[in-house]
Amino acid sequence: MNKPKLKKWKEPINISNYPLGATCESNHLVSINAGWRTYRPVINQDKCVKCLRCFLVCPDGVIDKSKELLEIDYDYCKGCGVCAYECKFDAIDMVKEEK
Amino acid sequence: MNNKFINGDDAVAEGVRLARPHVISAYPITPQTITVERLSEFVEDKSLDSIYMHVESEHSALACAIGVSSVGARAFTATSSQGLLYMAENLPYASGARLPIVMMNANRALATPWNIYGDQMDSMFLLNSGWIQVYVEDAQEALDMMIQAYRIAEDKNVMTPMMVNLDGFVLTHTYELVDIPSQELVDSFLPPITMPNNSMSIENPKSLCISAGNDFNMEFKIKQENDMKNSISTIEQIDKEFEKVFGRGYNGMLEEYMTKDADAILITTGSITGTTRIVVDNMRKIGKKVGLIKLRYLRPFPDEYIRKAVENIKSVGIIDKNISFGYEGTIFTNVNSALVHLEKTPNMHNFIGGLGGRDITKQNLEDAFNSLLLSANGEKQDRIMYMNVRCQND
């Protein structure tokens, strides 16, 4: 299963249209959540062998394997660096974010 | 009619058996113990097709019930006193998630001093937990409310957990003749549970117990409050329907007894109502115009009904088997708040009694009525009075 993509949340006009209780549709991401990232992981595709170790260890599940090459979803990556640390092929560089 | 001579705890167990919960998760505590013992026996002898989960604490008991209800199954738990407070953290989890769990609470004093007897300090503690709270007068009402409770809690307009309160020992351990309705009749009244849109399923995956920060939290809570307030009409309608099917009903939110021409009335909850009824009858025989209101629901609070019931009454006493330390009895506060909308409020008095299982005798109630009648005649009486105290209160 791949990470769901951002879907716009339609804000209810009336209180009665709010969800019943603290329950909502799954696979429904309503906002970007990556604001505190200092370093971003960048995959060096020449070195990557697609072993999926990073996919397995990513605590936020932001590594997308649905295409031929692995991709990182920067809308949700927090920049923790676990993927780069764990990569056996040094295929992920942590690059300082610049404004 | 299938009459059985059983106690209040047994009556609850019989009611739960008839309501057919999928899972029962409970931890025994006096004076609720007999209920959960019976239920585990029913599961063992297969007269109840439920899973009985032996949990290690009350906190887990309600946590299990939340899990059960989250996948759309019918859950039951039961507790009392310290146990209710131990599960307290989970009560708003259940009500916020709008899970229709039904709980029996045997009203019992809170430590310390340590005490296992009946008062209503425990459930008053949880008045703000978002659970519907009903208080029953006798074992028959206890059984009947287990059946009604699932209908109310699971109604698509309510979807709120419900706590059925019965006074420790006075109801839980006292034997009465109780009519056990047939399973067919109960099944015709209480259909299998269907959850509207807040339970987990493979086809329709949900995120449960989501976060809602300062941006959206308030709207969830207002919705919860609106639905809880609106549940009054559903509660009344279900009680009427119950009366049609089973031949006995409970007058919905509250019952008025001899209030129409009364000068003074007492407002009661739970088992003390029965004794007060007898005292009203006796005092009426000697021409004293007294009556009572049996307050059945504390949440949702039937403020409009109370206003209507007391608007022409000169003095009103509220019996509280609890103290909100630093102020007064909790029900007294709630009733007074309902009456500020009246043009002329009755003289209001708070009778605090029954703490830690202390008796409230017929004589105590007669004294209370006489005090209220004096108040109705313009003689000043204390705002707060303690019933049946061993020594002078300085």
Side-chain angles (χ1 to χ4, degrees):
Chain A
M1 198 163 70
N2 292 304
K3 182 95 179 170
K5 296 291 179 199
L6 201 62
K7 213 181 335 175
K8 196 154 167 48
W9 148 255
K10 204 167 154 248
E11 188 168 347
I13 297 165
N14 298 312
I15 294 276
S16 57
N17 297 124
Y18 266 77
L20 180 73
T23 302
C24 71
E25 181 193 342
S26 282
N27 293 336
H28 188 180
L29 298 173
V30 296
S31 58
I32 291 173
N33 188 354
W36 65 70
R37 191 171 58 226
T38 311
Y39 293 90
R40 68 161 55 202
V42 178
I43 300 175
N44 184 339
Q45 300 292 359
D46 293 338
K47 286 187 186 171
C48 176
V49 298
K50 237 184 144 180
C51 71
L52 297 183
R53 191 175 174 85
C54 57
F55 173 85
L56 290 172
V57 298
C58 172
D60 246 342
V62 300
I63 301 191
D64 185 355
K65 63 175 175 65
S66 59
K67 306 204 182 88
E68 200 178 322
L69 299 173
L70 295 186
E71 275 176 25
I72 291 169
D73 183 349
Y74 293 111
D75 282 348
Y76 296 97
C77 169
K78 311 293 186 293
C80 70
V82 168
C83 53
Y85 182 85
E86 290 292 338
C87 180
K88 298 293 181 198
F89 301 91
D90 287 331
I92 301 177
D93 298 321
M94 296 304 288
V95 180
K96 182 116 193 213
E97 290 283 358
E98 280 166 57
K99 279 271 175 277
Chain B
M1 293 286 263
N2 172 25
N3 283 333
K4 265 193 184 172
F5 190 59
I6 52 175
N7 63 40
D9 271 349
D10 285 324
V12 169
E14 292 287 352
V16 172
R17 168 155 66 177
L18 290 164
R20 304 184 199 253
H22 294 95
V23 180
I24 297 157
S25 53
Y27 190 89
I29 179 169
T30 305
Q32 153 265 43
T33 314
I34 306 165
T35 298
V36 296
E37 281 176 355
R38 287 296 169 273
L39 285 169
S40 77
E41 285 163 17
F42 294 161
V43 172
E44 182 71 19
D45 70 20
K46 298 192 168 46
S47 63
L48 171 59
D49 183 20
S50 293
I51 294 167
Y52 191 103
M53 289 185 73
H54 296 274
V55 289
E56 89 290 359
S57 76
E58 285 86 357
H59 190 278
S60 303
L62 189 51
C64 283
I66 288 169
V68 168
S69 198
S70 296
V71 293
R74 190 173 278 169
F76 177 76
T77 187
T79 189
S80 176
S81 182
Q82 310 296 134
L84 181 66
L85 264 60
Y86 192 19
M87 59 168 71
E89 185 199 5
N90 281 331
L91 268 85
Y93 259 93
S95 58
R98 308 296 297 276
L99 300 172
I101 299 164
V102 171
M103 177 202 301
M104 169 265 212
N105 179 53
N107 283 118
R108 172 187 138 177
L110 297 177
T112 56
W114 186 250
N115 183 301
I116 59 164
Y117 299 104
D119 68 29
Q120 296 174 347
M121 296 283 267
D122 55 357
S123 53
M124 294 300 153
F125 227 92
L126 277 310
L127 214 52
N128 292 348
S129 64
W131 284 54
I132 295 173
Q133 279 199 4
V134 67
Y135 292 77
V136 303
E137 180 180 346
D138 55 31
Q140 184 71 64
E141 191 179 355
L143 184 151
D144 292 346
M145 284 319 293
M146 298 325 298
I147 298 161
Q148 280 202 27
Y150 280 105
R151 265 294 296 275
I152 293 165
E154 292 169 8
D155 187 283
K156 65 175 184 357
N157 296 317
V158 180
M159 288 303 289
T160 297
M162 182 150 166
M163 187 191 298
V164 180
N165 290 283
L166 58 161
D167 287 308
F169 290 102
V170 178
L171 292 184
T172 58
H173 286 62
T174 306
Y175 282 71
E176 294 173 36
L177 211 52
V178 176
D179 170 45
I180 319 275
S182 72
Q183 186 69 62
E184 294 68 44
L185 211 54
V186 174
D187 287 349
S188 75
F189 176 80
L190 177 65
I193 182 171
T194 49
M195 295 275 274
N197 203 18
N198 60 336
S199 66
M200 183 52 82
S201 76
I202 303 283
E203 296 74 35
N204 190 9
K206 298 278 179 187
S207 296
L208 305 179
C209 290
I210 57 167
S211 302
N214 50 12
D215 44 1
F216 290 112
N217 196 291
M218 197 156 158
E219 285 71 19
F220 278 90
K221 292 295 156 195
I222 295 172
K223 184 184 170 103
Q224 198 180 336
E225 164 69 348
N226 290 348
D227 291 355
M228 178 75 124
K229 275 192 172 154
N230 293 335
S231 71
I232 289 182
S233 60
T234 309
I235 290 169
E236 301 242 285
Q237 174 240 314
I238 287 172
D239 189 47
K240 282 202 184 90
E241 202 184 313
F242 186 91
E243 188 167 2
K244 243 190 249 160
V245 175
F246 297 91
R248 53 176 177 265
Y250 296 96
N251 290 286
M253 303 304 290
L254 54 80
E255 180 201 336
E256 293 180 55
Y257 187 70
M258 309 280 240
T259 54
K260 288 291 163 274
D261 64 336
D263 290 329
I265 61 155
L266 276 173
I267 297 182
T268 60
T269 45
S271 61
I272 196 60
T273 310
T275 322
T276 312
R277 254 181 234 282
I278 293 167
V279 174
V280 168
D281 289 345
N282 292 343
M283 292 182 79
R284 281 276 172 178
K285 274 182 210 151
I286 53 168
K288 295 197 173 177
K289 287 185 173 173
V290 294
L292 81 90
I293 293 174
K294 171 189 174 183
L295 189 52
R296 299 187 67 235
Y297 285 86
L298 291 188
R299 289 292 180 274
F301 195 68
D303 58 331
E304 273 184 47
Y305 292 80
I306 293 174
R307 271 199 290 286
K308 243 205 228 134
V310 306
E311 61 186 350
N312 296 316
I313 289 166
K314 289 178 193 149
S315 75
V316 174
I318 285 98
I319 297 183
D320 264 300
K321 287 170 133 183
N322 73 87
I323 302 174
S324 178
F325 294 111
Y327 199 22
E328 56 193 15
T330 305
I331 305 174
F332 189 55
T333 307
N334 278 264
V335 171
N336 276 322
S337 164
L339 300 190
V340 294
H341 303 291
L342 284 178
E343 254 172 55
K344 189 182 172 305
T345 48
N347 299 339
M348 300 298 293
H349 301 280
N350 195 189
F351 294 94
I352 294 175
L355 302 182
R358 175 68 50 83
D359 275 344
I360 299 175
T361 64
K362 281 188 271 188
Q363 188 59 53
N364 297 148
L365 292 164
E366 202 181 319
D367 293 346
F369 274 125
N370 283 329
S371 169
L372 290 172
L373 287 168
L374 288 176
S375 169
N377 263 336
E379 281 190 44
K380 194 170 161 37
Q381 300 291 304
D382 285 344
R383 183 176 155 86
I384 295 173
M385 290 172 261
Y386 296 99
M387 306 175 94
N388 202 3
V389 183
R390 297 180 74 95
C391 60
Q392 287 294 319
N393 182 15
D394 32 35

